[in-house]
Amino acid sequence: MALRLCLAALVILAADAGKLRKGQPKTTIQAENFAEVESDVVVRKPLTDKRSYTYKKFESGLRVLLVQNPEAQKSSYAVAVEVGSMDDPEDFQGLAHFCEHMVFLGSKKYPQEDQFSSELALHGGTNNAYTSSDQTVYYAEVGNEGFEKTFDIFAQFFIEPTFASNMVDKEINAVDSEHKKNMPDTSRRLWHLLRSKANPKSPLSKFSTGNLKTLKEVPEKNGKSLEQALHAFHEKHYCPSRMHLVIMSNQTAEQQLEIAHKSFDALEKQAKKSCEPRPIYEGIPSYSEELGNIRRSITVGTPGTPQLELMFPVVSLRTHYKEQAEVYVNYALNHYGPGGLKALLKKEDLSMHYSAYFETTPAGTNFFVTFQLTEKGAKQREKVMEYFFAYFNNLRRDGVDEDIIKRVKAMNKVSFDYQEQSSSESDIVTNLAGSLPSVEPEDVLAGGVLIDEIDTELSQKILNALKPDNMNVVFVDPDFDEVKANKHEKYYDFNYTEVELDGKLVERLNSSSGFGLKKPPSLQYVPSKLDLITEHTKKEDMPDQVSGLGSATALWWLGLGRFKLPKTQIQMKLAYPRSIVKSAARKVLAGMHSRLVNLALEEPSDALQMCGMSYGFSSGSDGMSISFSGFDEHILELVKLVLPVVRTPGNVEANFEMVRRQMVLDFKDITRQQPYQHAMETFDLVTIKGSHSRAAMLAAVKDSKAVSPEAHEAFLQDVFQKPKLTLLVTGNMDKARAAKIAEFGQEALATQTDSPSEKQTGVMEGILDKARDLLGMAQPQKKPESANPDEEDYPVVLKPDKELEIRVSNPIPQDPNSATIAAYQFGIPTLADRVRFSMISGIIDRPVFEVLRTEHQLGYVVFGYVTAHRDVLEIRVLVQGFRKDPDQVGLLIEDTVQNLTSKFASLSESEFNVRKASLRRDLSKPPSNLGEYAGKFWGQIWDETYCFDKAEREVQFMDSKDFQKPSDLLDAWKHTVGSGSARKKLTVKLFGADSATGKVSIPNASASEDIQVLTDVESVSESAFGNHWPHEFLCK
């Protein structure tokens, strides 16, 4: 993918803003026996938003936003509480986060700790929560039939939670495991380290996650009780005037209001207690020369890639969401075109990517920039800083260009009015709840998106703060010598050096200028043509095949469907035989080609991508994926820019070695993945035919003969020898424009053209298609010719002769976390099997979690689920943690799986029917946005399965006589996990480091008559442990 977030998308992902519309009628609702303050709030919303919004304030002080969504398939709700990690008591750091964990575990009215999660799961629902610096947000979604009951259980968490002693003792281990999971993460280390340098009087310096020591061991030594602290914290901070409730449902606002009163009016008792507003700490300076915590230079080690992070305290933006004064800095950094910082860093091979963000809390605003450094960049990090300050020194001297902000304002308005709906209903209410404490209720959607008041002076103040004498610097060094460290970070347990930033360097950075850096241009492609097409497919919600393009090109067209937006999505597959990328070297070359293309396009595509358009490109095992999305007005210009570069990137000689060095760094960096992800990597290596290990790929990328510019050109010659182009066009683009894009693709990608006789055949097919349309006849489905007729190289899945256990070490140095994956193979599923196992997945999720995480406290990462492993259906259980080794965990997983058999055996018909109804609703749910609409068909077009009515067939099976009893699930479960020689079980055991020595020791395990053991995954033969499942998709 192009390394870009378009500006409009970046802004929309921020929190929300706007102004109250004048002259609107008041919104009032009569609800007998309930009291609330009358509201005249009118929420500003996008032109395409079909939802209605009603805002209320209850007498208790609770703020309530009711969202009636006529298209909602589920009911969703969330509560944001104005309390976060900054409110942790000094002697219980992490308490806000721990409270978030404990709240869901029972209340006085509903004491059973798993009742909420069990009721949600029964009706196809989920829940979660998060804690930030200044708020804690709880959210859930559930099938409409389970709404009222689960909502009442949810409300009691805020009214009278139990905080049971036995659950406190268990859940503290979950928080501790969560922190252990995070400890190796470089980004989390840096975030905490820089905040920890803040003024001790500022809550910014606190340890936000908490662990066993800060929450239990140390307080208990001092005679303090975690349980008592938890009750006191909830009573003090969880008061109604600091709570914001959001409900979204297809019910009317009146109905939602009645339900909200029924469940939450008990908060009025708490309203009588004193409830102070959440504190603001902006009067306490977090960083200053007087405090001695600014102009600091810090160096930390890493087994991963080098980084450079700059942090600047800036003017507080907490109350300035309407101005979005920070947009000017974000715009400058998001400019990747000529004259921009990114273009120069890339040209000089110093940094291929950077990210930046403003963090605003009640303690003020800080700005962070993180550069991912190349090898050269790591050696010349001062040059990176020199370029950065040359860029911003120039911007500061020139002053803020108001025209740039005006154009961004116009772009944001178009993006806001025509934004697509989130695919997750719980995400919508979560974002709304999280925004309400920070914006006026009428701005809950627009806040942080629309610019209402341009304030160039405030933007200039931000620019004035980006100076070298107002920053802290962290260098993440893979070659760091810990012997030279002079400091230790106690919570994340690592050593580092800290010194004052060199004065001469500061002077040099202050005067840095030139290097061809200049102010970015204003936006050039803000959409103005927003008319919609009227053409539609022959069969509703089924793609049409467009004929007349030749045998080497297949064009599918969907049109707008139900999404009336001036946007389009174009998916392309340039298919080639898998044999072309069979070796590790060829897979590396395919990956390098993706990087070379994206590198070549970054600058020329910048102006288009800043205006609501984007492209993606990658090379896979059976084809190149090219995609375009966004406003359709200028999308053809982006297509014409990208496709020729896909064929011929240009500057390959100049960029090849730079890309190779970066790939070496990336393959070496094992810290980017969690231990369970490394376990999954091992699982795929052993079980998928044709896979290559990280070590093999690293060796290949280092091989200058196998991976060279000449080898890259040979790779392209093979790819473009007989390529086949397949397209799917969705959205606001008629068939004629879609055909022109397909024709341009043929020309730019040099796909085969037909002979005169073949062209004549294509013309006749087009005439016949039109005749069938006129006569109302159905069009025959034409299955395009496959680019991979020989399936010998397809990545099929291992079918083990007997159970296989894979034993490896955690590659992350000194990481105590282990990971265990147990997979039980069912085989190639029919559509009926997919239905059965979808229900099975929903049934096992919570019991696996409750037993392995809550009861046994094995770790923070625990999942039980069903998944498709290529063509094979599998039941999997995954656990990551440090409390027990994988051998012990493996036994507990097996016990849990076998004990679940009784759950299926005792499943009542009523529960079976409730779960069946939830699954039917999920399968029948229409796509939420253009991406989902296109995705429903594109995966099958790519894989050449063409089972377009898959969901409809699955619903038909659910309603048939063949799926009426719970025993159907029991049989499928026992067939898959039951003991015996027919069972196909594979286990990966990844062992973590000993916490005392920091070294990994894998206990010996011998193979037996029933179990095969593999310890050397690098030299395993593809047929050593069995045959392979066939490549097959059953659309029946």
Side-chain angles (χ1 to χ4, degrees), residues 620-919:
S621 61
D622 62 341
M624 293 179 176
S625 172
I626 315 160
S627 62
F628 304 88
S629 64
F631 290 97
D632 67 277
E633 181 180 352
H634 300 289
I635 203 82
L636 182 57
E637 294 170 64
L638 186 59
V639 172
K640 288 184 175 181
L641 175 67
V642 170
L643 293 187
V645 179
V646 168
R647 178 63 183 87
T648 309
N651 296 322
V652 171
E653 290 284 346
N655 293 331
F656 197 86
E657 287 306 314
M658 180 170 62
V659 170
R660 182 209 299 275
R661 288 192 296 270
Q662 191 59 44
M663 287 190 78
V664 169
L665 286 176
D666 291 343
F667 279 124
K668 284 182 175 179
D669 188 357
I670 38 77
T671 64
R672 294 185 183 181
Q673 294 182 315
Q674 286 285 319
Y676 77 86
Q677 293 171 311
H678 285 290
M680 286 301 309
E681 197 174 89
T682 300
F683 184 75
D684 287 345
L685 173 64
V686 175
T687 60
I688 297 179
K689 182 181 178 182
S691 297
H692 298 281
S693 69
R694 181 185 291 259
M697 297 290 279
L698 179 60
V701 77
K702 288 181 176 180
D703 187 338
S704 59
K705 291 184 179 179
V707 178
S708 65
E710 294 76 21
H712 174 253
E713 181 57 34
F715 163 73
L716 292 183
Q717 291 295 331
D718 288 345
V719 165
F720 290 99
Q721 185 177 10
K722 289 184 179 180
K724 294 187 179 295
L725 181 63
T726 303
L727 304 89
L728 173 65
V729 176
T730 310
N732 197 41
M733 181 174 290
D734 59 29
K735 287 182 181 178
R737 284 181 73 195
K740 286 181 180 178
I741 285 179
E743 289 166 359
F744 181 77
Q746 290 175 321
E747 178 184 343
L749 300 173
T751 56
Q752 288 176 296
T753 56
D754 286 346
S755 65
S757 61
E758 289 172 322
K759 287 182 179 178
Q760 183 63 34
T761 301
V763 171
M764 290 304 299
E765 287 178 350
I767 293 172
L768 287 171
D769 285 346
K770 290 181 180 179
R772 292 188 189 100
D773 287 345
L774 290 171
L775 295 171
M777 298 170 60
Q779 296 287 353
Q781 197 82 311
K782 308 178 191 74
K783 186 174 180 180
E785 182 182 344
S786 174
N788 283 284
D790 185 358
E791 294 297 336
E792 181 182 345
D793 299 311
Y794 190 85
V796 289
V797 175
L798 176 69
K799 185 179 183 181
D801 294 332
K802 53 185 177 180
E803 291 187 19
L804 174 61
E805 182 176 301
I806 306 158
R807 302 170 70 84
V808 294
S809 60
N810 183 346
I812 304 173
Q814 300 181 334
D815 184 358
N817 288 290
S818 296
T820 307
I821 300 170
Y824 303 82
Q825 294 183 339
F826 168 77
I828 310 296
T830 63
L831 296 184
D833 294 324
R834 292 176 187 273
V835 169
R836 295 185 187 101
F837 279 91
S838 291
M839 280 190 66
I840 286 172
S841 188
I843 291 170
I844 69 174
D845 173 41
R846 291 311 304 178
V848 167
F849 184 88
E850 298 294 345
V851 172
L852 298 178
R853 184 186 179 279
T854 305
E855 181 182 336
H856 290 291
Q857 290 295 308
L858 295 183
Y860 181 72
V861 180
V862 175
F863 296 108
Y865 58 102
V866 174
T867 187
H869 188 207
R870 295 289 179 174
D871 297 316
V872 178
L873 212 58
E874 294 177 349
I875 294 170
R876 286 187 193 169
V877 178
L878 183 156
V879 175
Q880 175 181 303
F882 64 94
R883 300 192 183 281
K884 293 185 183 294
D885 70 39
D887 286 329
Q888 295 171 299
V889 172
L891 293 173
L892 289 170
I893 288 175
E894 180 64 21
D895 285 346
T896 302
V897 168
Q898 295 309 319
N899 289 337
L900 278 169
T901 302
S902 62
K903 167 75 174 174
F904 287 99
S906 61
L907 188 68
S908 67
E909 285 200 27
S910 61
E911 181 179 344
F912 175 79
N913 288 327
V914 169
R915 291 185 179 275
K916 195 165 91 166
S918 295
L919 180 58

Side-chain angles (χ1 to χ4, degrees), residues 490-503:
K490 60 181 179 180
Y491 297 118
Y492 283 79
D493 192 23
F494 64 90
N495 297 324
Y496 63 98
T497 61
E498 181 182 347
V499 297
E500 185 177 356
L501 202 58
D502 180 67

Side-chain angles (χ1 to χ4, degrees), residues 7 327-328 331 399-411 451 454 456 519-524 526:
L7 182 67
V327 77
Y328 196 74
Y331 182 81
V400 176
D401 186 339
E402 188 171 347
D403 182 64
I404 286 178
I405 300 180
K406 286 180 177 178
R407 296 292 287 171
V408 172
K409 179 180 178 180
M411 184 69 235
I451 300 175
I454 294 177
T456 56
K519 180 179 65 178
S522 295
L523 295 175
Q524 302 172 45
V526 177

Side-chain angles (χ1 to χ4, degrees), residues 472-507:
N472 288 327
V473 181
V474 182
F475 173 46
V476 182
D477 184 5
D479 299 321
F480 178 65
D481 184 359
E482 292 216 9
V483 175
K484 297 179 181 179
N486 60 6
K487 294 284 182 72
H488 181 75
E489 207 303 301
K490 60 181 179 180
Y491 297 118
Y492 283 79
D493 192 23
F494 64 90
N495 297 324
Y496 63 98
T497 61
E498 181 182 347
V499 297
E500 185 177 356
L501 202 58
D502 180 67
K504 291 183 178 179
L505 173 63
V506 171
E507 289 181 14

Side-chain angles (χ1 to χ4, degrees), residues 111 173 306 431 525:
N173 291 318
N431 292 333
Y525 297 97

